[in-house]
Amino acid sequence: MSEDIELLTGQNQVEGTVTAVLFRNDENGYTVLKLDCGERGEITAVGCMPGAAPGEALELEGTWGRHPSYGEQFKAEVVTRRMPVGEKAIFEYLASGAVKGIRMGLAKQIVNRFGEDALAVIENEPDKLCEIRGVSPKRARSISEDFRQKMGMRRLAEFLSEHRLPLSAAMPLYNRFGDLAVDVVRDNPYLLADRSLEIPFAQVDALAIELGVAGDDPQRVESALIFELDHNADNGHVFLPEQKLLNATAALIGVEGDCLAQGLDALIERGEVVKEDIAGVTACYPAGLYGAECYVAMRLGEMCRTEVMPPDGLGRLIDAIQREQGIRYAQQQRTAVELAAGRQVMLLTGGPGTGKTTSLRGVLALFETLGLETALAAPTGRAAKRLGETCGAEALTIHRLLETKLDPFTGQLAFTKNQDDPLEVDAVIVDETSMVDVSLMAALLAALRGDCRLVLVGDPDQLPSVGPGNVLDHLLRSGVVPAVSLTEIFRQAQESAIVMNAHGVNRGSVPQLKNNTKDFFYLGRRDAARTVDTVVELCQSRLPQNMGIPAEQIQVLTPTRKRGAGTAALNRALQEALNPAVEGRSERAFGPYIFREGDRVMQVKNNYDLFWEDPDTGAKDLGVFNGDIGVIQEVTAGGITVSFDGRLVVYPPELLGELEPAYAVTVHKAQGSEYRAVILALSDVPPSLLARGVLYTAITRARELFILVGSGELMAQMVDNDRQTRRYSALRTRLLRETGQEA
C-alpha cells in the first residue's frame, strides 16, 4: 500500500460509543477520540465534537482516510449525539471526568443513588446531590453549572449538525451567547452570517427561510445589505453607491420595493452604515471603513500642513552621508533626502532600477544623523525582511510594529499601539505602501505621536492592496502629500532585461520574446499540461544544474488558482517532483492537500493567536500573517511544525486549514516579496486576470532571473489591458477637502 493517505470513496456513516478522548482543543472543539462501533470494532474519529466524552453515543457522517503513521481515521463532518443510556453508560460518562468535579468514586455514588435519573438530577435538581456524603451545596451547584454548560454546547452542536452547518461555529457561538445560543440563533439566524464564523451567506439565508423567516423580514434585508458591503470590501471597495448596493441586495435575496430602503435606513440609524454624498455619488459605507477613511484623510491632512524646520547645513550633512556611504546621489535621490528633512510626511515612489533603495538608505541615514529614533516596517513578513536587509537595520511587519492582538470580547483585530499608547519613535518608514489598505493605514497613523515623521515608499504600478481602498494611488493623485517620484533608470539597471522589460510593460510595450537574455527568457508552450511539465523540469533540474539556482530559491507564479496551470495543479506536480513521498519522511493529509516534511507552505489568513519562537535568538511572540511562506520542519501526531525564516510555529490538526502548498503561488500573493528566480506559468488564464498590473508585478518579483512559460499571446493581451478595476473610495476627495483644495 502507498505511504500516502488513502482516501476512501463516498460519504460514510458510523455510530458507536465513545471509549476514550485522545485529544481535545477546548477553544474550538476539535477532538480526536476512540469510538466503539460494535461489530466493526473500535475506530479513531476526528473532527469538531466539543464536549464529547466517554459513554456518549455518537452518529457521525463524513469520510474515511488511512495514514501510514496514524492508521485508519474517520473525519466527522456531521455529528449527532445521544446522552448515555443505562447505568453502565452513565457511570462511564461521569467517571471519565467529562463533568468537572466528578471522578470515579463520586460517579459510582451518584449512579448508585439515582440510577438512570442521575443526569437529570445533575441538570435540574442539583440540591439532591447533597444527599451524598461529602457533596456540599456549593460543590453541587458547581457540578450542575458545568454539566448545564456542556448540555448547552451539546444542544448547539446538535442544532448545527441538524442543519449541516460547520461545527467549528459552536465554540465561538457558545462563548458569545452561552446556554441561550440555540434560542438566540433560532430567533435571528442571521447572526450566523458573522464573518468570523466563515459560513456562506447563502447557507445562513437558506436556514433562515427554513426556520420561517419571511422574504422581506427586516433581519433578512439588513443582513443581506451588510453582507453586500462586506463582500465588496473584500473586493477592495471602501463603499458602494447607494443604488448599486440596493440593486445587488435585491438580486441576492430576490426582493424589491421599499423594504430595501427601509432596511438601509435602519442600519444607518443604528450606526452600522454611514451614508454620505461625496465624490459625486451617494456613498454607503460600513461604519468601520468610513471611520478609517475619514481618519486617514484628517491625520494626513494635518501632517501635510506641518513643516519641519530643516537642520542648519543640510547640504553639508547630505554630503557627509554620501561620503560615508561611498556614493553620489542623483538629483532626484538628493531631492528625496532633502524633502524628508523638511516635511512631516512624504511619498517616495519609483519602479525597479530607479534608485529607491539608495534614496531610502539616505533618508534613514539623515534621520539617524538628526538623532531620530526610526522604525522600519512593511505590510508582509517577506517585505519586512527585505527592507531590513536593504537598510541594515531591523524591520517589522506593520502588524508587529503595532503589537497586534485579537480582542477576546469582540473577536476583532486590535492593536496595542494606538492614540492612547503611541509608538515610542520619532519617525516611521513604510515600504511596499501599495499593499497597505485603508484600515491598516488608519491604525498606523493612530499609533504615531503628533510630531512623528512618516515616509511612505512604494511602486504605484504594483497591484493594489488585497484589503479595501487604494491608498497609495489616492495619495499620489491628490497631489496633496509631498512626493518624489524616481524616474531615472540607472546604467547598471539598464543592463537588466528584467528591469527594462518591466518598465516597457508599464509603458505598454510587449517584451521581445524571441530575444532571450541572460536574465529574461521565454519558453512557449501550447497548452496547460506542457506548461506544467516545463515548469517542473526547470525547477527540478535545468535551473539547479545549468544555472546553479537551487529549487528553494525559485518561486513559481501564476495569475490563477484554478485551471490546468493554476496553483493547485502546479503545486501537486512540483511537490511530487521536488519532495516526493519516501520512507521516513512524515506526512499528513488535510482536505485536498498532503503536507510533507520539507514542503514549502503559505499561511493564508491572519492568525493573531498563533505562537512562534525563534530558537536562535530566543525571541517569542504571537501572530502569523496572510502570505507568510515557510517550510515544514516536522510532522507528528500533534500537528505540523513550520519554520518561517527561523520562526517556528506549531500547527495543531484543527489549524491546518490555514496552510496551503507554496511551490506555486498567485501573483497577488507574491506582492511585497522578491525571489532570486521567478517562473511565470501563463496558460489557460481567465480574462479578468489578463491585466498589465499582474504581469508587471510578476516580473518585478524577480531579482536575477525571470522565465515566462506558456503563451506569448496571453502576455501580449496582458500588456494591452491597462484597465484597472475601479475601487470605490473617496480618500482623494477627503484629502483635498482637508487641505482646502476641493476636488
Side-chain angles (χ1 to χ4, degrees), residues 195 224-241 244-245 248-249 252 284 286 289 466-469 725-728:
R195 299 177 76 185
L225 288 163
I226 291 293
F227 168 79
E228 281 296 340
L229 288 173
D230 287 344
H231 174 71
N232 280 277
D234 290 338
N235 291 327
H237 300 295
V238 182
F239 69 81
L240 281 183
K244 188 178 181 72
L245 171 61
T249 305
L252 176 69
C284 294
L289 291 181
V466 174
T725 302
R726 181 185 176 188
R727 291 190 166 190
Y728 291 112

Side-chain angles (χ1 to χ4, degrees), residues 152 155-156 173-174 177-187:
R155 285 189 286 271
L156 178 58
L173 284 171
Y174 191 84
F177 301 114
D179 293 342
L180 299 174
V182 173
D183 295 332
V184 170
V185 171
R186 283 188 180 277
D187 186 57

Side-chain angles (χ1 to χ4, degrees), residues 3 5 66-73 585-587 635-637:
E3 284 288 297
I5 286 206
R66 184 177 291 112
H67 192 279
S69 302
Y70 315 124
E72 194 176 58
Q73 295 181 337
R585 185 178 293 164
S586 297
E587 62 184 39
V635 178
T636 67

Side-chain angles (χ1 to χ4, degrees), residues 3 47 130 181 213-214 220 222 280 285 317 322 374 460 488 501 528 583 585 594 602 612 615 645 668 714:
E3 284 288 297
C130 298
V213 175
R220 184 172 188 244
E222 292 166 20
Y285 288 82
L317 285 179
Q322 289 182 125
T374 304
E488 181 184 353
N501 279 324
E583 188 174 352
R585 185 178 293 164
I594 293 176
M602 173 183 283
W612 61 263
D645 294 322
H668 284 78
L714 290 181

Side-chain angles (χ1 to χ4, degrees), residues 577-722:
L578 302 177
N579 193 34
V582 297
E583 188 174 352
R585 185 178 293 164
S586 297
E587 62 184 39
R588 185 181 194 120
F590 189 89
Y593 310 122
I594 293 176
F595 294 115
R596 189 173 294 143
E597 289 176 353
D599 277 342
R600 187 188 307 173
V601 292
M602 173 183 283
Q603 175 77 13
V604 295
K605 64 184 292 187
N606 291 332
N607 188 323
Y608 308 100
D609 289 333
L610 260 179
F611 175 81
W612 61 263
E613 180 175 11
D614 189 334
D616 294 332
T617 64
K620 302 176 182 179
D621 206 343
L622 295 173
V624 184
F625 304 107
N626 187 6
D628 287 353
I629 291 180
V631 177
I632 296 177
Q633 301 295 299
E634 187 179 28
V635 178
T636 67
I640 291 176
T641 301
V642 180
S643 173
F644 294 98
D645 294 322
R647 294 178 291 112
L648 297 182
V649 179
V650 178
Y651 288 80
E654 67 273 14
L655 290 183
L656 295 184
E658 297 186 6
L659 291 175
E660 288 183 3
Y663 295 100
V665 302
T666 63
V667 177
H668 284 78
K669 286 289 189 183
Q671 289 185 84
S673 298
E674 187 179 75
Y675 312 96
R676 186 178 176 186
V678 166
I679 300 171
L680 177 63
L682 202 59
S683 180
D684 192 22
V685 179
S688 61
L689 294 173
L690 294 174
R692 185 184 296 179
V694 175
L695 179 59
Y696 175 82
T697 299
I699 296 173
T700 54
R701 299 309 88 202
R703 187 169 64 250
E704 296 180 20
L705 178 66
F706 177 85
I707 303 176
L708 173 76
V709 181
S711 169
E713 292 180 0
L714 290 181
M715 172 182 268
Q717 290 179 40
M718 297 176 83
V719 174
D720 289 341
N721 179 16
D722 192 30

Side-chain angles (χ1 to χ4, degrees), residues 131-429:
E131 298 172 11
I132 298 172
R133 186 175 179 181
V135 178
S136 65
K138 182 178 179 181
R139 186 180 181 188
R141 286 193 300 271
S142 176
I143 290 171
S144 182
E145 286 172 5
D146 186 73
F147 183 72
R148 285 200 300 270
Q149 178 182 347
K150 287 181 169 57
M151 290 303 99
M153 176 62 75
R154 173 187 299 278
R155 285 189 286 271
L156 178 58
E158 288 175 348
F159 174 83
L160 295 174
S161 284
E162 178 188 350
H163 297 285
R164 296 192 173 271
L165 296 167
L167 289 172
S168 56
M171 289 300 298
L173 284 171
Y174 191 84
N175 290 338
R176 185 174 176 185
F177 301 114
D179 293 342
L180 299 174
V182 173
D183 295 332
V184 170
V185 171
R186 283 188 180 277
D187 186 57
N188 183 6
Y190 292 99
L191 291 170
L192 296 172
D194 187 297
R195 299 177 76 185
S196 64
L197 300 179
E198 298 182 348
I199 303 175
F201 179 83
Q203 195 173 358
V204 174
D205 193 42
L207 170 64
I209 298 299
E210 182 184 333
L211 295 176
V213 175
D216 60 352
D217 186 285
Q219 286 181 347
R220 184 172 188 244
V221 173
E222 292 166 20
S223 296
L225 288 163
I226 291 293
F227 168 79
E228 281 296 340
L229 288 173
D230 287 344
H231 174 71
N232 280 277
D234 290 338
N235 291 327
H237 300 295
V238 182
F239 69 81
L240 281 183
E242 181 180 22
Q243 197 56 53
K244 188 178 181 72
L245 171 61
L246 295 175
N247 292 343
T249 305
L252 176 69
I253 59 176
V255 300
E256 296 179 352
D258 294 341
C259 65
L260 294 169
Q262 292 167 2
L264 181 58
D265 289 341
L267 291 170
I268 294 170
E269 187 174 344
R270 292 203 302 271
E272 295 181 47
V273 172
V274 177
K275 185 166 76 170
E276 181 183 359
D277 290 329
I278 192 167
V281 299
T282 301
C284 294
Y285 288 82
L289 291 181
Y290 176 79
E293 187 177 88
C294 291
Y295 184 80
V296 170
M298 181 273 292
R299 194 66 204 279
L300 285 177
E302 289 178 348
M303 297 173 78
C304 289
R305 292 191 296 269
T306 302
E307 291 191 20
V308 179
M309 186 64 69
D312 293 334
L314 176 60
R316 292 192 301 275
L317 285 179
I318 296 175
D319 291 342
I321 292 170
Q322 289 182 125
R323 289 193 296 272
E324 186 177 336
Q325 295 182 342
I327 195 171
R328 184 171 182 84
Y329 299 140
Q331 185 54 55
Q332 289 178 339
Q333 295 173 321
R334 189 175 182 107
T335 300
V337 179
E338 291 171 346
L339 187 63
R343 303 306 297 246
Q344 189 177 8
V345 61
M346 66 167 288
L347 301 174
L348 175 62
T349 66
T354 59
K356 241 186 0 264
T357 296
T358 299
S359 303
L360 186 55
R361 286 174 178 159
V363 172
L364 181 60
L366 175 68
F367 286 171
E368 290 174 347
T369 302
L370 298 177
L372 302 179
E373 177 92 16
T374 304
L376 302 175
T380 68
R382 283 187 168 260
K385 183 181 180 183
R386 183 159 57 91
L387 176 63
E389 292 170 349
T390 295
C391 294
E394 183 184 21
L396 302 174
T397 64
I398 298 173
H399 291 85
R400 290 204 174 92
L401 179 69
L402 302 181
E403 299 179 13
T404 308
K405 64 180 182 179
L406 202 64
D407 189 320
F409 299 103
T410 66
Q412 301 298 311
L413 171 66
F415 298 100
T416 300
K417 297 298 178 182
N418 50 38
Q419 297 101 317
D420 299 325
D421 183 18
L423 294 165
E424 294 296 325
V425 296
D426 305 303
V428 175
I429 297 174

